[in-house]
Amino acid sequence: MRLTSNQIQMINLAVHDLAGERATAWLYGSRLDDSRCGGDVDLLVRSSPAIGLMERARIKNRLELELGLPVDVLAAADEGVLSPFVRIAVAQGVRL
Amino acid sequence: MTPVKPSHELLLAQKTHLGNLLEAIQRCVYFLNASDASLAWPLTGDMLTLRRKDAHFFEALAAVNERFSKLQDTLGSAMRHSLLLSGEHADSFIKVLVIFEKLGVIVSIDDWQAARSARNLAAHDYEIDYQLVAQHFNALHGLRTDMWGVASRFVQYCAQDLHVHPSSTDFSNEFTAITAAGSV
């Protein structure tokens, strides 16, 4: 995983601040691949209920500022049917 | 080689360009309000599922998305351009926002940037989960009055401090009514 422990801490803090203490952050996508360079930080935020568009936007903005990297934020509910894309993210994702 | 224009001519061109941008802002507000008013808010997933093949309905939604983006982008361009006339210097857009937050045109830089990211996220999502689509558009609907507030205060700032007005009054009455009422 191409994130430092400091970056992971920033992500968890931002997710808890903006999506609630019980929300969880998952990393998926190219940052999981140690052989690659650069790339967005693809995050899945899971909570109950799923966060909305504005919360996603605020998490994205805060993390882009703090990490200095492009961040994409996907949201999904803890319970219920997941879209195929979220299922893929969950299957390959690592909880931070 | 293009000859260098005399400074008064350049100033006039800068003022005219800002006037055009102000007219464009008023136009964006007018058409965003029209698209928004053609829909029944708040949207629900059930409503979208029921109307999933209603081209007119989805055209109105697409128009809300496009016009919201256009309004925010035009406001951004106009704010940046107006600094040429006010004598302020900003080498990045965040500094432009800081100046206009100080002037009271923007209430909060965080809110401005969240609105920008929200509409970009909504534009790039390709959800077919109608509940999520409804949620996205409800968020944009909720943000429109914030944008109108920024637009109204910016137009007033240009008039009072820079003595620049929209290039035509075509949309001025409607703009004033929409931004004053929050919704028409």
Side-chain angles (χ1 to χ4, degrees):
Chain A
M1 180 197 309
R2 289 181 294 117
L3 284 179
T4 65
S5 57
N6 194 32
Q7 288 172 322
I8 292 171
Q9 202 179 355
M10 282 179 192
I11 291 169
N12 280 322
L13 198 60
V15 167
H16 291 155
D17 281 355
L18 297 167
E21 277 299 320
R22 302 181 73 171
T24 53
W26 300 69
L27 180 73
Y28 69 97
S30 63
R31 288 261 158 195
L32 288 172
D33 186 346
D34 292 335
S35 68
R36 294 172 72 175
C37 296
D40 294 4
V41 177
D42 294 312
L43 289 180
L44 167 66
V45 176
R46 298 200 69 179
S47 56
S48 185
I51 56 168
L53 184 63
M54 290 308 291
E55 289 80 17
R56 284 170 63 199
R58 289 186 193 283
I59 291 170
K60 173 184 167 67
N61 288 348
R62 173 164 157 180
L63 287 175
E64 286 188 343
L65 192 68
E66 290 181 354
L67 300 173
L69 295 168
V71 176
D72 199 18
V73 180
L74 188 65
D78 285 327
E79 311 290 335
V81 182
L82 301 176
S83 73
F85 189 73
V86 171
R87 287 207 301 272
I88 294 166
V90 169
Q92 70 157 190
V94 171
R95 186 174 165 178
L96 299 176
Chain B
M1 188 177 167
T2 311
V4 177
K5 290 180 179 176
S7 64
H8 72 275
E9 205 178 311
L10 183 61
L11 181 68
L12 190 64
Q14 287 170 342
K15 283 190 166 189
T16 305
H17 182 56
L18 181 58
N20 290 345
L21 288 169
L22 293 176
E23 186 184 342
I25 288 167
Q26 293 191 326
R27 210 182 125 82
C28 286
V29 167
Y30 175 81
F31 282 110
L32 173 58
N33 183 64
S35 300
D36 187 89
S38 72
L39 296 159
W41 302 95
L43 303 178
T44 64
D46 289 345
M47 192 191 292
L48 266 64
T49 305
L50 200 67
R51 302 182 72 174
R52 64 190 177 279
K53 291 188 179 177
D54 183 337
H56 290 297
F57 177 71
F58 276 90
E59 273 167 15
L61 287 180
V64 165
N65 219 31
E66 198 268 339
R67 289 166 181 176
F68 186 94
S69 302
K70 192 88 179 164
L71 173 58
Q72 199 177 21
D73 288 346
T74 309
L75 271 167
S77 299
M79 286 191 288
R80 185 189 280 278
H81 180 73
S82 72
L83 297 184
L84 294 172
L85 296 166
S86 68
E88 298 264 13
H89 176 70
D91 49 16
S92 65
F93 191 65
I94 190 76
K95 287 187 183 163
V96 175
L97 294 178
V98 168
I99 290 167
F100 282 98
E101 190 183 44
K102 241 188 252 177
L103 289 167
V105 171
I106 290 173
V107 176
S108 146
I109 293 176
D110 279 351
D111 288 351
W112 172 277
Q113 290 185 309
R116 187 175 168 79
S117 294
R119 52 98 161 172
N120 284 339
L121 285 168
H124 292 124
D125 280 343
Y126 44 89
E127 298 288 354
I128 51 168
D129 178 333
Y130 292 115
Q131 204 146 351
L132 283 179
V133 176
Q135 190 191 88
H136 290 177
F137 281 102
N138 288 336
L140 292 189
H141 173 71
L143 289 167
R144 83 203 184 290
T145 49
D146 294 347
M147 280 303 121
W148 293 346
V150 175
S152 173
R153 290 187 293 274
F154 181 68
V155 169
Q156 281 171 34
Y157 160 78
C158 290
Q160 285 164 12
D161 289 43
L162 306 178
H163 308 293
V164 177
H165 302 272
S167 296
S168 92
T169 54
D170 272 359
F171 290 88
S172 293
N173 290 342
E174 291 89 345
F175 175 79
T176 304
I178 293 164
T179 55
S183 176
V184 168

